[in-house]
Amino acid sequence: ERQDLNTQGKLRHGPPLGVVTEDRPTGVYGRFGAGARLFPVRAAFRCRGVAPREFRFEAIRHPTLTPALVSGALSALYAQLEDPIEPKLVRLTGISLKLAGGRDVALQDQSFSGALAMAAAAEYVSGVLELLGNNPHQPAPLEGLELAVQVESGNRTAAVEAAWLSRNPVVRGEPLTLSVRLQPFQGPPRILTCSIPTSGLSPGEATIWAGGAFAVLPSLAAASGERPADAEGYLRYLREIPSAGRVTVAVAEQEACSVLMHRRVGSLPPSVGNLLASQPAAASAADSGKRLAWSSTLDAEGAVSGFVEIPFTVKEPSDE
């Protein structure tokens, strides 16, 4: 970008002159007249005591630089409006990935709290962009990013401390209630309850997970039954990440299965299992793990953390 002094002696910015394409210890290389590949970002901030502000800027398309530059810009904008180290609740809402062809992918709202709430929120945005640009298949055709940042006072974290079931074992089809104890920061504990459907569960061992979205997410991803096989798969994965402003509850069943072309195919006849075992390019070895059977979320105030795992047994009605 050209810079010179105007008649008042102040620095004046002119139009871009070109791009730098190489920056090495021995020199810098670039081209005049060329333009950097950019995409627009729109961030709307709603903070305490100030009028709502909307910022628009452009970010370079680069697998390594883009996540860091966008997250750094969001943190810098936040620091202009709020004390960057005072405990806050930061909500990211209206997160929309603009893709080629006019397609939008809306992500779940997310909540972060504590002294580093905005840093955690910016790291989440950085992680989304990192996954889109550096997934092992192909970069997603991102054409823009929109989000809103809402800020509330105080530390609004809430930790999942314990959980228990109304009965264990449970007969398939019987009502089953999960109780979760949520401990807000410096506040009285809350007990949340939800009904767990059992009619669709198979007899045998099962597991319930309850906790904050990012604490439960690794278990959900491992039990989802499908691994992203292309850029679209990673977009679906991002879209389905639960909100960290709610308690995530999931039920998984124990299952021995094989993986074929990135998908779990369940138990197979011995002859088919032997055939797939001889074709490592088509299938992995048999996987004895958990299969996601049901999931939901519970209303909570603030940003939820913590994780509880409860094993339980499902029986057929005839077993009683």
Side-chain angles (χ1 to χ4, degrees), residues 160-182:
V160 173
E161 288 193 331
W164 58 93
L165 294 171
S166 57
R167 52 165 55 88
N168 186 13
V170 60
V171 175
R172 189 159 62 91
E174 278 187 338
L176 180 64
T177 300
L178 172 71
S179 300
V180 179
R181 186 170 71 215
L182 194 64

Side-chain angles (χ1 to χ4, degrees), residues 11 28 41 50-51 57 59 140 155 161 183 247 265 288-289 298:
L11 193 64
V28 176
V41 179
V50 297
F57 59 92
N155 188 331
E161 288 193 331
Q183 178 61 62
V247 177
V265 293
S288 180
L298 304 176

Side-chain angles (χ1 to χ4, degrees), residues 53-217:
R53 299 282 303 275
E54 183 175 296
F55 299 90
R56 296 174 183 265
F57 59 92
E58 291 184 310
I60 189 172
R61 301 175 186 274
H62 190 278
T64 303
L65 296 178
T66 298
L69 291 176
V70 173
S71 63
L74 293 175
S75 295
L77 293 173
Y78 174 83
Q80 293 181 22
L81 304 172
E82 289 279 356
D83 183 337
I85 61 173
E86 183 183 344
K88 304 282 196 326
L89 173 67
V90 174
R91 300 183 192 272
L92 297 183
T93 64
I95 311 169
S96 178
L97 306 174
K98 308 296 183 179
L99 305 180
R103 188 160 61 100
D104 293 352
V105 175
L107 306 188
Q108 297 281 345
D109 296 349
Q110 297 296 343
S111 298
F112 307 87
S113 191
L116 300 176
M118 189 60 211
E123 184 178 0
Y124 167 77
V125 175
S126 176
V128 169
L129 297 176
E130 172 77 19
L131 191 59
L132 290 180
N134 292 284
N135 72 77
H137 301 287
Q138 64 186 45
L142 186 64
E143 297 291 337
L145 171 65
E146 294 184 359
L147 55 85
V149 181
Q150 299 180 1
V151 183
E152 300 177 21
S153 301
N155 188 331
R156 303 281 292 279
T157 55
V160 173
E161 288 193 331
W164 58 93
L165 294 171
S166 57
R167 52 165 55 88
N168 186 13
V170 60
V171 175
R172 189 159 62 91
E174 278 187 338
L176 180 64
T177 300
L178 172 71
S179 300
V180 179
R181 186 170 71 215
L182 194 64
Q183 178 61 62
F185 178 74
Q186 295 183 347
R190 298 172 55 201
I191 305 298
L192 308 178
T193 61
C194 71
S195 297
I196 305 296
T198 63
S199 58
L201 298 179
S202 302
E205 300 304 314
T207 303
I208 290 180
W209 299 309
F214 298 116
V216 179
L217 191 58

